[in-house]
Amino acid sequence: MDLKDIFWLSYRDLNEKKVRTALTIIMVIIGVAAIVALTSFTAGINNSITTQLESLGPTAIIVGSIGTAGFTPASVSAVSSLPNVTSVTPLLTGSAVLYAGNQNTSVTVVGTTAQGLQQLIGNVSLYQGSAYQDTIAPDAVVGHSVAFPTSADGKQTITVGQSATLRLGGRGGTTVTVPILGILPAIGGLLIPIDTGVFVPLQAAEVLLHRLSFNEMLVLASSTGSVNATASLITTIYGSSARVTTTSQLASTASSIIGSITLLFGVIAGISLLVAAIGIMNVMLMAVMERTREIGIMKAIGFKSSHVLLIFMLQALIIGVAGGVAGIVVGATTSYSLAAVFSGAGSTSTTTGASASTSGSFRSGGGSSGGFSGAGAAGAPSGAAISANTSSGISFKPAFPLTTIVAALLIAVFVSLAAGIYPAWRASQMQPIDALRQL
Amino acid sequence: MPKETSKYSVIATGVSKVYKMSESLEVDALTAVSFKLKQGEFVAIVGPSGSGKSTLMNILGTIDKPTSGEVYIDGIPTSKMNGNELAEFRNKKLGFVFQSYNLITGLDAEKNVELPLMTASLSDSDRRDKAQKLLVRLGLGERLKMRPTQLSGGEQQRVAIARALVNNPALILADEPTGNLDTHSGDEVIKLLKSICRDGHVTIVMVTHNLDIAKYCDRIIHIKDGKLEKQEVLA
Ligand SMILES: Nc1ncnc2c1ncn2[C@@H]1O[C@H](COP(=O)(O)OP(=O)(O)OP(=O)(O)O)[C@@H](O)[C@H]1O
Ligand SMILES: [Mg+2]
């Protein structure tokens, strides 16, 4: 017997009961969409964190000030003179709103040296334009999602060479016109607001933010082996007036958070797949019972048990593949909207007003530190590592590695086939005499 | 035995069927039924309700097994075959016509007739050709694409006969094929079966309650209380 005929008979059965088939497929879609949305979502967060950690490098130590005092140029040179310290980059951060055209975007102003900017983006080249020099002029380099805001569907709204207006200090604050010199490549915004940052020279930031002290120092140790020793040395020097965080601490915090998210998501996806499996089995058993007579006729006219088994297994396969493919699409769409919801929180909007103040709610209560304040002073990083740095929302793209898509499809097919085995077997074992006797 | 059996299309030897209802209750549906049918014979089985006619038909059709005895079809003993062998055997040698037509409601007339051909390796166009020709021959040329629910009882039964015929079987088993039909359509179905016997080499065994219909046949087998009461040869 041709597989083509078996397929045709299976398909016909499903096609005849459209509503029932659609409902069964929807059950699979929900399960698969859950898997795809959740894994791509976590993989996206993971990628974003990895990119950032990589751009910072494994030897980076972030020192954030606690309280209003901040760090001075003297602190920078003091830390620079510690053993095994290669460089110290001071950072001055504050929140602001950037106006360009009819777009207003809540951003983090980051003042740092030209060299510091290169270190933050991991010495890769700019997406467009060029970096600024160390001047007092408020030359700006903007993060990728500032130039390509999600509220404009990722279209470019800021171009190199134009000027934008920066309003500092919330409502009634000062406004400054800044020339846009460059646009950064997409790096992420989860740990450090790079994608949502507006970078200006350190001296310019001092003027703009009316501060002469820094709230962050990015310290690079000379080797990965000396990172921990250097970090504890800095901790002893500053005690409770600074948070010292290494990239490996950030990485472990991030991975433990992602681990628990993944577990939660996995349980949800698993339950929905189990429900789908039970649903498929139930629907197929019903279909087999309904078709008892037809099965009897087919067997009487010469269909073998294996033919009947195949017809029903193929139905399960069709449901699995259809549900799997549709589930991947639905899951992908869902995770993009999830990502948009997250990164849309306080990021960009076309309305005027309150966006600057909403950004504050994402920050930890750590005094004036607006940028990446690091986490846990004494090597006990907390969940604040992520939420503390999102003054302009979490920006990341969900990731769809081929393995996720293939695995989701395989799981859908496997679950459907597993659920179909028993009903299909029941059908194949029906005796024509019993099947025909039933009226 | 083979030499002797091959002359006959159907040989039943001592076929008995006992339904064991419980430890103490057994129903003897058939008791030691034996007969031989020649190739191309049109045979009627008559008898009161519950006498075992359907039981006998199911056993001849290999969809039920006798408790004892043997049925040879085209000289081939059937009682030792397994499920798959029987399926293939039924596909090649047997055709079924039921009282309630038993067409597949989701398939049109043509596809219903094609169904037994699906298990054979036949090209799609050959298959369609065969089914169409047969349906045209049975006067259903205008009904090829209609579903059973769109056909009259007589038309449905003719589709069922086409389905039974399509694989050129040795034996067609028809259990009360006119039971659901009015006199006119019933007569047409019987004439059709009769003509099939005439110009083919097909043997037809038909159960009927109607003695007028049985008169069309070459032979009438009377069953009573599960026993072969008598055989009447008419032709
Ligand atoms: N599966 C079964 N289990 C138990 N007894 C059965 C079964 N099938 C048939 N019988 C019994 O066997 C006997 C013969 O039944 P059968 O159906 O062969 O009669 P029939 O001659 O076809 O009757 P009718 O003319 O009403 O169709 C009956 O007494 C019936 O009750
Ligand atoms: Mg009967």
Side-chain angles (χ1 to χ4, degrees):
Chain A
M1 187 154 184
D2 261 2
L3 210 58
K4 178 175 76 1
D5 292 321
I6 302 249
F7 182 86
W8 182 77
L9 287 167
S10 308
Y11 174 77
R12 177 195 69 85
D13 255 18
L14 293 176
N15 192 40
E16 202 150 286
K17 298 271 191 289
K18 283 196 182 67
V19 175
R20 181 193 292 180
T21 304
L23 288 174
T24 320
I25 290 175
I26 286 171
M27 289 191 277
V28 182
I29 290 178
I30 292 171
V32 172
I35 294 182
V36 170
L38 306 179
T39 54
S40 67
F41 185 73
T42 44
I45 294 180
N46 207 2
N47 280 356
S48 169
I49 291 171
T50 313
T51 318
Q52 280 211 332
L53 292 178
E54 272 168 8
S55 68
L56 282 175
T59 61
I61 302 164
I62 295 158
V63 185
S65 89
I66 297 174
T68 47
F71 303 117
T72 59
S75 339
V76 174
S77 37
V79 174
S80 300
S81 61
L82 293 175
N84 296 322
V85 170
T86 309
S87 71
V88 180
T89 306
L91 298 170
L92 186 49
T93 62
S95 58
V97 181
L98 187 75
Y99 298 87
N102 63 351
Q103 200 81 11
N104 65 342
T105 309
S106 162
V107 297
T108 302
V109 174
V110 182
T112 187
T113 58
Q115 189 205 3
L117 178 61
Q118 279 305 324
Q119 267 166 15
L120 280 178
I121 65 173
N123 287 321
V124 296
S125 53
L126 266 64
Y127 177 74
Q128 278 172 354
S130 53
Y132 50 71
Q133 304 294 314
D134 286 320
T135 68
I136 198 160
D139 292 339
V141 169
V142 296
H144 199 264
S145 37
V146 175
F148 298 85
T150 39
S151 64
D153 291 329
K155 284 202 208 67
Q156 187 161 11
T157 57
I158 292 178
T159 51
V160 170
Q162 77 170 96
S163 290
T165 306
L166 203 55
R167 175 152 47 141
L168 297 127
R171 238 169 257 186
T174 51
T175 57
V176 187
T177 303
V178 294
I180 310 292
L181 297 196
I183 296 168
L184 296 177
I187 285 176
L190 216 47
L191 300 171
I192 298 161
I194 291 182
D195 282 4
T196 54
V198 170
F199 295 81
V200 295
L202 191 59
Q203 288 148 288
E206 286 173 344
V207 176
L208 293 175
L209 298 166
H210 305 297
R211 277 212 308 267
L212 285 173
S213 58
F214 321 122
N215 36 19
E216 311 277 346
M217 285 189 289
L218 175 64
V219 179
L220 288 188
S222 59
S223 67
T224 46
S226 59
V227 172
N228 286 339
T230 309
S232 21
L233 195 56
I234 298 172
T235 309
T236 31
I237 294 171
Y238 288 99
S240 60
S241 63
R243 275 180 256 264
V244 181
T245 317
T246 64
T247 41
S248 69
Q249 282 170 337
L250 285 176
S252 70
T253 306
S255 72
S256 80
I257 292 171
I258 288 170
S260 22
I261 295 175
T262 309
L263 183 69
L264 177 72
F265 285 0
V267 169
I268 294 171
I271 290 172
S272 45
L273 278 174
L274 186 68
V275 171
I278 294 168
I280 293 172
M281 197 186 280
N282 184 36
V283 166
M284 283 192 60
L285 276 174
M286 259 168 65
V288 168
M289 291 310 143
E290 273 180 12
R291 297 197 180 274
T292 297
R293 200 171 179 78
E294 289 192 2
I295 294 166
I297 297 164
M298 298 220 265
K299 286 198 137 187
I301 65 176
F303 280 58
K304 293 180 181 169
S305 301
S306 55
H307 296 147
V308 176
L309 185 83
L310 270 177
I311 289 173
F312 282 95
M313 285 309 278
L314 212 58
Q315 287 184 10
L317 183 70
I318 293 171
I319 289 170
V321 171
V325 170
I328 288 167
V329 173
V330 172
T333 318
T334 309
S335 65
Y336 271 112
S337 3
L338 267 178
V341 165
F342 272 72
S343 57
S347 156
T348 53
S349 68
T350 41
T351 58
T352 48
S355 40
S357 52
T358 59
S359 67
S361 62
F362 268 85
R363 256 178 285 158
S364 68
S368 64
S369 63
F372 43 93
S373 44
S382 68
I386 284 180
S387 61
N389 298 306
T390 53
S391 62
S392 288
I394 301 171
S395 91
F396 70 94
K397 283 197 175 61
F400 299 97
L402 191 63
T403 47
T404 302
I405 290 167
V406 171
L409 196 60
L410 286 180
I411 288 172
V413 167
F414 174 80
V415 166
S416 308
L417 288 181
I421 286 174
Y422 176 65
W425 180 82
R426 281 274 296 263
S428 76
Q429 293 308 304
M430 277 182 179
Q431 294 304 311
I433 175 95
D434 299 325
L436 282 171
R437 197 178 280 137
Q438 203 188 68
L439 251 167
Chain B
M1 198 77 156
K3 245 208 168 88
E4 218 249 350
T5 53
S6 58
K7 276 198 294 187
Y8 295 95
S9 162
V10 179
I11 298 174
T13 54
V15 171
S16 299
K17 181 73 183 179
V18 182
Y19 288 110
K20 207 175 166 112
M21 306 305 289
S22 64
E23 278 306 314
S24 52
L25 182 63
E26 288 186 347
V27 178
D28 288 312
L30 284 178
T31 312
V33 174
S34 303
F35 54 82
K36 293 174 181 174
L37 308 179
K38 290 207 257 328
Q39 197 178 6
E41 257 193 289
F42 189 16
V43 182
I45 295 180
V46 298
S49 186
S51 56
K53 304 182 295 293
S54 293
T55 306
L56 178 60
M57 291 295 269
N58 291 338
I59 290 171
L60 293 178
T62 77
I63 59 175
D64 203 357
K65 282 193 185 300
T67 312
S68 63
E70 180 64 276
V71 172
Y72 299 84
I73 290 164
D74 255 12
I76 302 162
T78 57
S79 67
K80 298 283 187 293
M81 283 192 244
N82 69 26
N84 275 343
E85 288 164 348
L86 285 173
E88 211 169 317
F89 182 80
R90 284 195 294 270
N91 187 246
K92 299 276 174 297
K93 297 281 184 189
L94 301 180
F96 292 88
V97 179
F98 304 92
Q99 177 175 352
S100 48
Y101 326 126
N102 278 343
L103 297 172
I104 302 222
T105 44
L107 301 180
D108 62 24
E110 188 185 297
K111 285 289 176 195
N112 263 290
V113 177
E114 277 188 46
L115 215 51
L117 296 173
M118 282 188 188
T119 59
S121 51
L122 210 63
S123 83
D124 280 12
S125 54
D126 285 356
R127 201 160 79 189
R128 202 171 334 113
D129 260 25
K130 248 183 143 166
Q132 285 182 358
K133 282 209 182 96
L134 204 49
L135 284 166
V136 170
R137 198 181 118 200
L138 301 197
L140 293 166
E142 312 284 291
R143 305 277 187 274
L144 298 178
K145 297 293 172 201
M146 288 194 174
R147 297 225 172 167
T149 46
Q150 299 165 311
L151 298 173
S152 75
E155 287 167 340
Q156 287 187 62
Q157 198 59 300
R158 276 185 281 160
V159 174
I161 291 169
R163 183 180 66 188
L165 269 176
V166 76
N167 253 345
N168 298 318
L171 174 65
I172 288 180
L173 297 157
D175 195 344
E176 300 189 46
T178 61
N180 285 2
L181 299 177
D182 61 39
T183 326
H184 176 71
S185 338
D187 277 352
E188 286 198 333
V189 164
I190 297 304
K191 282 180 188 143
L192 182 60
L193 291 175
K194 178 94 186 165
S195 74
I196 289 164
C197 271
R198 278 278 148 65
D199 54 42
H201 305 280
V202 192
T203 307
I204 297 182
V205 179
M206 171 180 72
V207 171
T208 181
H209 281 284
N210 189 332
L211 279 173
D212 291 337
I213 283 176
K215 299 251 163 62
Y216 281 98
C217 298
D218 306 322
R219 188 207 300 233
I220 302 176
I221 293 176
H222 294 262
I223 302 275
K224 199 178 175 189
D225 295 335
K227 297 190 183 80
L228 196 156
E229 194 186 28
K230 62 175 178 185
Q231 297 196 48
E232 271 179 84
V233 179
L234 303 178

